[in-house]
Amino acid sequence: MDMARSEEQQMIIDTVRKFIREEVRPLEADIDPDGSEVSPEDTERLRNMVKDMGMWQMSVPEQYGGPGMDLVTRTMVAEELTQHKAGLYAPAFGAFGEAPPAHLYDATDEQKEKYLYPAIREEKRHFFGLSEPSGGSDPARAIRTRAVRDGDSWVINGGKLWNSGADTADFGIIYVRTDPTKGRQGITAFIVDTDTPGFKVNRLIQVMRVFHTTELSFTDMRVPHSAILGEEGGGFALANDYLARNRIPYAAECLGIAQYAHELAVEWSKQRVTFGEPLASRQSIQWMLVDNEIDLRTSRWIALDAAAKAERGEPFRFESSMAKLLCTEAASRVIDRSMQIYGGLGMSKDMPFERWYREIRIRRIGEGTSEIQRVVMARDLLNVRSGS
Ligand SMILES: Cc1cc2nc3c(=O)[nH]c(=O)nc-3n(C[C@H](O)[C@H](O)[C@H](O)COP(=O)(O)OP(=O)(O)OC[C@H]3O[C@@H](n4cnc5c(N)ncnc54)[C@H](O)[C@@H]3O)c2cc1C
């Protein structure tokens, strides 16, 4: 397979790389080591530059006013966007805009008016509600939140867990059991406004790094039948498709901070002298750096392969899971080795490694754990569905 960049892709990468190095990284000199925001003036300036570059909301299709960038190029760009200190937490400080959930493009006209267009204009924020206290790995069985039909509406009771951004969102897509007799075919996706009576953010859950997520409860939350996204009973397939697509850029983002960590480690190994010689002359250090290269190049290739398959309309679930697993784990190893090469300085908040070390850890859990990626791949490989 040819993974060489086209001329246009190379131009896009060069432009984004220059932007990150010359516009984004300098802003980090003065922010807190765990900071994730720059001043409103700088945010506005960065966003205007991105709009001038024609890359604002890059995944939004042309017919909806965006540049409609394909998934392969977006995967390449995702790796560039995170190559700064706050990169994994806040890629380019949000300068490229927050895209709406892709399934809204297939929503009804009424839903598009109410949610898609405002989301594209960034007037409405959303959250993704799949996981529940009873488990996130096996939602087909774990979803206990129940919707019961009542005339032209549905009454929802239950709750969700770990929903990132739900406390500031205007709406969410939640996956709820509408028919307990039908297993995964009994799960339906609903779009719910967060100001619906009965919707409650019970608490914020502080997690590793400067981040929190939420615990939600729904008590007799009444929503119209028109709140169903897609088909009744089609929610599980929608969630799986959403996750399989999302995992690819999610994986590539991890490579960005790992690539940056590796470049810093290469430089440091040449500068730092111990026992009269630079670290770079030691075989043990050389091998760490070579292992970094192997991790970065192999996982990048797998991520691009997954994106190319998805773009061609071929089955890509196996490759998407492999990319998620490999990129998150390889990036964790690269950051760990790079820290080691920096010695004590690698532990300090003067350098970004300790922040990345915490932030990358979450990526082996979020969007499906490493074990669940293996479960998905094993099912495809062996054509079995274990435990069901
Ligand atoms: C910071 C953060 C943000 C998140 N954001 C969201 C969000 O926005 N929306 C949302 O819906 N969810 C979100 N999640 C939830 C996340 O997707 C789940 O935490 C994840 O899917 C794992 O589910 P769980 O925590 O219930 O663990 P469990 O499902 O209980 O699994 C526990 C452990 O057992 C392993 N395991 C489970 N089954 C198997 C098996 N068959 N074989 C081998 N090992 C297995 C898992 O890999 C894991 O290590 C977020 C989580 C975090 C930490």
Side-chain angles (χ1 to χ4, degrees), residues 128 130-131 135-137 162-164 211 362 365 367 369 371-372:
F128 172 73
L130 182 66
S131 307
S137 296
W162 305 119
N163 312 102
S164 309
F211 190 67
I362 288 184
I365 302 285
E367 306 267 325
T369 63
E371 293 73 30
I372 293 310

Side-chain angles (χ1 to χ4, degrees), residues 6-290:
S6 69
E7 220 172 283
E8 193 192 352
Q9 284 169 335
Q10 189 59 54
M11 202 182 70
I12 290 170
I13 298 304
D14 291 344
T15 307
V16 177
R17 190 167 291 177
K18 190 165 181 288
F19 178 79
I20 296 294
R21 281 165 202 228
E22 295 181 8
E23 303 297 335
V24 175
R25 285 189 193 171
L27 296 176
E28 298 191 311
D30 299 329
I31 67 168
D32 181 89
D34 275 338
S36 58
E37 283 179 16
V38 289
S39 70
E41 297 75 32
D42 281 326
T43 305
E44 188 63 17
R45 187 175 55 80
L46 293 179
R47 287 175 165 230
N48 286 336
M49 291 180 79
V50 169
K51 285 176 186 167
D52 288 345
M53 283 152 54
M55 292 181 67
W56 173 251
Q57 301 272 39
M58 62 186 108
S59 67
V60 174
E62 285 175 8
Q63 76 220 66
Y64 294 95
M69 191 182 282
D70 64 273
L71 188 59
V72 176
T73 314
R74 270 195 284 136
T75 303
M76 292 172 179
V77 171
E79 185 183 338
E80 298 298 324
L81 288 186
T82 55
Q83 293 195 28
H84 62 103
K85 195 197 292 183
L88 198 60
Y89 185 75
F93 295 113
F96 286 73
E98 197 195 329
H103 289 128
L104 289 184
Y105 297 115
D106 301 321
T108 62
D109 289 345
E110 187 197 338
Q111 289 169 338
K112 283 184 187 172
E113 279 302 327
K114 193 167 176 197
Y115 302 107
L116 176 65
Y117 302 125
I120 290 175
R121 294 194 297 270
E122 289 203 329
E123 291 162 8
K124 283 193 176 178
R125 293 164 159 233
H126 68 278
F127 74 89
F128 172 73
L130 182 66
S131 307
E132 298 201 0
S134 44
S137 296
D138 181 19
R141 262 166 283 222
I143 289 179
R144 308 257 161 89
T145 298
R146 182 84 165 88
V148 177
R149 182 103 191 228
D150 181 21
D152 204 26
S153 53
W154 291 82
V155 179
I156 303 178
N157 279 287
K160 294 280 168 187
L161 194 66
W162 305 119
N163 312 102
S164 309
D167 51 322
T168 53
D170 301 284
F171 70 95
I173 300 176
I174 61 168
Y175 299 84
V176 172
R177 199 168 295 282
T178 43
D179 186 342
T181 65
K182 286 193 178 158
R184 62 189 59 204
Q185 273 81 37
I187 294 171
T188 301
F190 286 86
I191 313 180
V192 296
D193 294 306
T194 53
D195 61 2
T196 307
F199 181 102
K200 188 174 170 210
V201 178
N202 285 344
R203 66 180 181 114
L204 305 183
I205 307 169
Q206 302 298 329
V207 291
M208 218 164 172
R209 73 178 178 176
V210 278
F211 190 67
H212 66 262
T213 158
T214 60
E215 179 189 281
L216 308 177
S217 66
F218 316 129
T219 311
D220 294 332
M221 183 170 71
R222 187 174 286 272
V223 297
H225 185 70
S226 59
I228 289 180
L229 180 63
E231 300 289 316
E232 187 181 330
F236 188 76
L238 274 188
N240 265 348
D241 186 65
Y242 170 85
L243 286 169
R245 271 173 206 284
N246 241 32
R247 275 175 190 143
I248 303 171
Y250 185 89
E253 284 177 355
C254 301
L255 297 182
I257 52 168
Q259 177 66 35
Y260 191 13
H262 174 55
E263 286 170 16
L264 289 169
V266 168
E267 280 314 306
W268 184 248
S269 72
K270 291 181 195 164
Q271 281 174 35
R272 185 67 164 179
V273 174
T274 66
F275 300 92
E277 281 191 48
L279 291 177
S281 68
R282 316 286 175 191
Q283 192 179 51
S284 59
I285 302 290
Q286 292 170 358
W287 286 12
M288 282 198 247
L289 293 171
V290 168

